Amino acid sequence: MPTPEPVPFSTLLRTASSEEHEAAEHSSFMSRLLGDQLGIEAYADLTGQLWYVYRALEERAEQLAAHPLAGPFIDPALLRTAAIERDLAHLRGPDWRDGLAPLPATAAYVARIEELATEWPAGYLAHHYTRYLGDLSGGQIIRGLAEKAWGFERKGDGVRFYVFEEITNPAAFKRDYRAKLDAAGEAMDEVERRRVVEECKRAFVLNGNVFHDLDGRYPLSA
Ligand code: HEM
């Protein structure tokens, strides 16, 4: 009998994390935020937390660019920190850093990314995939809803985080990204592949925990 074709690593990551994706997408905070049940403060709050996350993802990008496995994924076109800072200046004013602090779940998420960026770049890749491919996918839905709910200029200040100026063809970019994931998967043994898949699920859970903390800041009115 012929041996079955191995599942491409990009497919494995997507299918293995689909339940976690569902949970993040339908989390109370995201549902309320995108259902226009929370104000612009909650959106600004989310953006502030994302600033910590992307700083952690991006501050070691230069060193990671030299890494054989993670290196091919490091791409200046993805960098989000500067875009988030512009959004925050719009949302919170020029002194946007004043009073901004990471929620406990954000601090835990950041600590995990920082740990992986230095100690296990394949694990870092799981986080890179979870955030950036998500931003290029569902992030575009979020942008549209945010523009509508809070009147931001289309692709302008407030939603720049979701706008990848240098990626003119997101579908092609995602195809290339998935091909790189497949190649990375082939360079790993089975144990390592499984560990990366588990880390990807964990990345979703860490995101879900941030939403949970944010949700707690906006109690349902009685
Ligand atoms: C309300 C929130 C969300 C919506 C509406 C949403 C929606 C979507 C949609 C429609 C896709 C498929 C796009 C395509 O096939 O190209 C997608 C893919 C993806 N999303 Fe989300 N999403 C949300 C939240 C999230 C969150 C919180 C994360 C992780 C932090 C995430 C990570 C991903 C990833 C990694 C993919 C790519 C899957 C793959 O093709 O490998 N999403 N999302």
Side-chain angles (χ1 to χ4, degrees), residues 82-100:
I84 297 180
E85 291 181 357
R86 277 188 74 171
D87 288 339
L88 285 172
H90 182 72
L91 294 162
R92 291 171 57 98
D95 299 326
W96 58 268
R97 272 196 85 158
D98 293 354
L100 186 65

Side-chain angles (χ1 to χ4, degrees), residues 112-181:
R112 183 63 182 159
I113 296 170
E114 285 173 349
E115 181 186 2
L116 295 175
T118 48
E119 283 166 28
W120 184 38
Y124 167 90
L125 175 55
H127 287 264
H128 192 279
Y129 159 77
T130 303
R131 280 299 342 177
Y132 293 110
L133 221 62
D135 300 332
L136 282 163
S137 308
Q140 301 314 302
I141 302 170
I142 299 174
R143 174 175 63 77
L145 292 171
E147 286 165 356
K148 213 166 132 213
W150 299 296
F152 303 121
E153 188 190 319
R154 188 170 179 273
K155 297 191 175 184
D157 287 343
V159 289
R160 289 194 190 276
F161 166 66
Y162 301 98
V163 182
F164 292 83
E165 301 272 6
E166 292 168 52
I167 299 177
T168 44
N169 185 343
F173 187 95
K174 285 198 277 184
R175 255 196 316 276
D176 288 353
Y177 191 101
R178 290 191 184 108
K180 284 193 273 188
L181 281 176

Side-chain angles (χ1 to χ4, degrees), residues 14 21 25 34 129-130 134 137-138 174 178 204 207 211:
R14 189 181 68 240
H21 182 274
E25 184 177 342
L34 301 176
Y129 159 77
T130 303
S137 308
K174 285 198 277 184
R178 290 191 184 108
F204 274 96
N207 276 278
F211 298 156

